[in-house]
Amino acid sequence: MSKKRTLSRRSLLRASAAAAGGAAVLAQAGTALGQAPAVVTQRRFKAWISRGEGPGRTTLQEATLRPITGRQVLVRTEATNLCYTLVPAVLGLAAPAAPAAQAAPAPGALAAPPSRRRINDMAVIQGHGGVGVVEAVGPDVRRVQVGDRVCVSGTPHCGACYRCLRGRSDMCQFLSAIGPDDLVAIADLADGTPVYENSHIGGLAEVMVAFEEWVVPIFTTKPAAEVGMVCGCTSVAGLGATTAHGLVAIEPASSVAVVGCGPIGLSAVQGARIAGASTIIAIDPIAARRKVALDVGATHALDPNAEGDGLVDRVRSLTTWPTDRLWAGGRNPGGRRPGSGADFVIEAAGADAVTPRAERGPDSTGVFAMQQAYRMTALGGHLITTGLIRGDIVLPGNLFSFGGVTHHSGQAGGCSPMRDIPRFVELLEKNQFDARSLATAVVPLERLLEGYEQVAYRTTITGIMTAA
Ligand SMILES: [Zn+2]
Ligand SMILES: [Zn+2]
């Protein structure tokens, strides 16, 4: 109670204004009904700029901010998560050779027309999200004020488009315009090169400039690395899939299998525990990840290399209730196949961006893991897939037609950012979500590449860059 009293928008605002030390900031913050015009010129900041091809494409440079206009929000970065999907973009490493290899499309850009601009020719701040403090807002911004601590979400939530209004704000239409041609320059390098941000978001810099649709106010005094973890795209996806109910609601006492225990999977394990699942089976080839899974809520941990072709049957056997007798509450589906299958399966394996320096899984494309995830789902169960894979999925046709498996896909596990991210922060506040066990490589801005290498080679669970 006393904590609530001290943690107010006003107190956060005062702290930030004092840090910024500007009368203009205070004056702007006092505008209750409309935001004053914000023009922040010539602010210099450090940013990791990615450009060109191959290793060495990302370098730390100084850039000069352009004026903040319209619905733009300037956020001083406190922390940002090092998402595995950006390993190729940041480190310039090539994916291991695989059959039918395809470049993974950017989230939300699946049906985008060809771009006139080539992303590798542009100077781009990578990252897609982070947490920080609002330093300035454009004149049209209504959602946040200067001084607010915010999450810059990996996915937008406008609240007004058709998809938002029908309950699928994870697929908000603002996602449709994040290709190379859609990006707007937010800064310039010393030689005049315009600087852009991945998906209008960025994160691997001292500041982020985002449109307000991506910005979610949060109220917490937890350390930046932990808030950055729970608000990062991976934890948001894992908690979204299991606790947001945007796709499906996990029921108490149900069985949940989580295929892949990186930061998404380990967040899903925790979400399943929070949702009240009684059997939580974590599957990952890396022993250290299986151990963390057991520490944060899994009841079983399986190694797909050790289980081999028997993995699916093993999950079915672990999810069968004490009797398979008909009329007695048995869960075995009448002898059609052994065991029951998990009521809910969260797939979070994905393809290898580079060959891991930890234990490798059975298939670097992620296709096999996704097929297994479908087959270990109970008849009548639900499958949520989140991994970026290389290749196409082949499924048993009749199981696909008559198996009763409901497949859910979406952005960020179906998370609705404005509704769900503050709830995820509350899980952190009340110690229901363990961020520290996931953020095992916390590096300052200057050591970003070191942290990203650990993420790339899977020698850590995941990484967080802190910048303030
Ligand atoms: Zn991500
Ligand atoms: Zn929308």
Side-chain angles (χ1 to χ4, degrees):
M1 198 61 193
S2 58
K3 198 171 185 182
K4 278 276 179 204
R5 279 196 190 119
T6 57
L7 179 63
S8 67
R9 183 187 288 256
R10 192 171 296 275
S11 66
L12 287 167
L13 182 61
R14 275 198 297 266
S16 166
V25 172
L26 275 173
Q28 185 185 61
T31 312
L33 296 176
Q35 305 277 26
V39 179
V40 181
T41 57
Q42 304 303 310
R43 185 200 200 287
R44 297 174 74 77
F45 64 99
K46 281 189 269 185
W48 286 96
I49 304 287
S50 302
R51 195 181 189 189
E53 319 292 332
R57 72 184 305 266
T58 301
T59 54
L60 188 59
Q61 300 191 42
E62 198 165 69
T64 303
L65 197 65
R66 291 191 178 185
I68 301 300
T69 63
R71 301 185 335 281
Q72 286 181 321
V73 179
L74 172 65
V75 177
R76 174 171 51 79
T77 308
E78 287 185 280
T80 187
N81 74 306
L82 310 187
C83 180
Y84 186 81
T85 61
L86 297 176
V87 162
V90 173
L91 297 180
L93 300 172
Q102 302 166 356
L110 296 172
S115 302
R116 291 187 308 279
R117 297 198 291 206
R118 191 171 163 274
I119 194 78
N120 278 18
D121 295 336
M122 300 161 69
V124 177
I125 300 170
Q126 295 295 338
H128 44 224
V131 296
V133 176
V134 175
E135 283 201 349
V137 295
D140 300 333
V141 170
R142 296 291 177 269
R143 187 177 290 186
V144 293
Q145 294 187 346
V146 171
D148 284 350
R149 200 177 195 190
V150 295
C151 163
V152 178
S153 168
T155 54
H157 182 176
C158 76
C161 74
Y162 178 67
R163 296 178 202 158
C164 279
L165 291 172
R166 71 198 295 255
R168 286 303 300 266
S169 47
D170 64 307
M171 307 300 293
C172 174
Q173 289 188 14
F174 275 79
L175 269 176
S176 305
I178 59 172
D181 292 342
D182 304 308
L183 299 183
V184 293
I186 60 115
D188 299 283
L189 298 178
D191 66 0
T193 303
V195 175
Y196 302 88
E197 295 171 304
N198 180 314
S199 308
H200 302 294
I201 310 172
L204 303 182
E206 287 180 320
V207 300
M208 297 175 272
V209 177
F211 292 111
E212 68 174 327
E213 286 77 13
W214 275 264
V215 181
V216 178
I218 52 173
F219 299 95
T220 175
T221 53
K222 285 279 188 183
E226 292 182 40
V227 183
M229 184 70 236
V230 77
C231 289
C233 58
T234 53
S235 287
V236 166
L239 287 172
T242 46
T243 68
H245 297 189
L247 302 175
V248 62
I250 289 180
E251 300 142 342
S254 58
S255 56
V256 176
V258 178
V259 182
C261 290
I264 297 179
L266 290 172
S267 298
V269 165
Q270 300 194 56
R273 169 177 50 74
I274 292 162
S278 55
T279 300
I280 303 172
I281 304 166
I283 300 162
D284 198 282
I286 301 174
R289 296 186 173 199
R290 294 197 301 275
K291 181 182 179 311
V292 174
L294 291 169
D295 289 345
V296 299
T299 56
H300 305 77
L302 301 179
D303 176 359
N305 289 324
E307 300 294 335
D309 292 340
L311 178 68
V312 170
D313 284 348
R314 184 101 152 88
V315 171
R316 286 187 191 150
S317 70
L318 288 171
T319 49
T320 301
W321 276 20
T323 179
D324 61 0
R325 280 166 34 220
L326 291 175
W327 323 113
R331 278 198 176 185
N332 188 320
R336 287 179 174 222
R337 58 181 194 173
S340 171
D343 297 321
F344 301 91
V345 177
I346 319 297
E347 180 279 333
D352 287 339
V354 294
T355 302
R357 290 179 184 157
E359 301 93 315
R360 292 188 219 172
D363 168 29
S364 68
T365 68
V367 169
F368 189 49
M370 200 171 273
Q371 290 170 170
Q372 286 180 318
Y374 192 94
R375 289 170 49 232
M376 69 178 67
T377 308
L379 303 186
H382 296 264
L383 168 67
I384 299 174
T385 51
T386 72
L388 284 176
I389 65 172
R390 285 191 295 271
D392 299 326
I393 300 296
V394 178
L395 295 169
N398 290 341
L399 176 61
F400 188 69
S401 298
F402 304 119
V405 172
T406 305
H407 172 229
H408 306 266
S409 77
Q411 297 282 339
C415 165
S416 179
M418 280 292 282
R419 181 192 65 191
D420 296 322
I421 288 176
R423 298 198 311 175
F424 300 160
V425 170
E426 186 73 0
L427 295 175
L428 178 73
E429 277 281 321
K430 300 296 179 339
N431 298 317
Q432 291 172 283
F433 179 80
D434 177 350
R436 286 188 204 169
S437 294
L438 276 56
T440 44
V442 179
V443 295
L445 180 127
E446 290 74 17
R447 287 170 47 209
L448 168 80
L449 297 180
E450 202 179 300
Y452 239 113
E453 292 223 337
Q454 293 185 57
V455 170
Y457 293 110
R458 300 197 200 276
T459 53
T460 190
I461 303 292
T462 192
I464 298 283
M465 183 200 87
T466 55

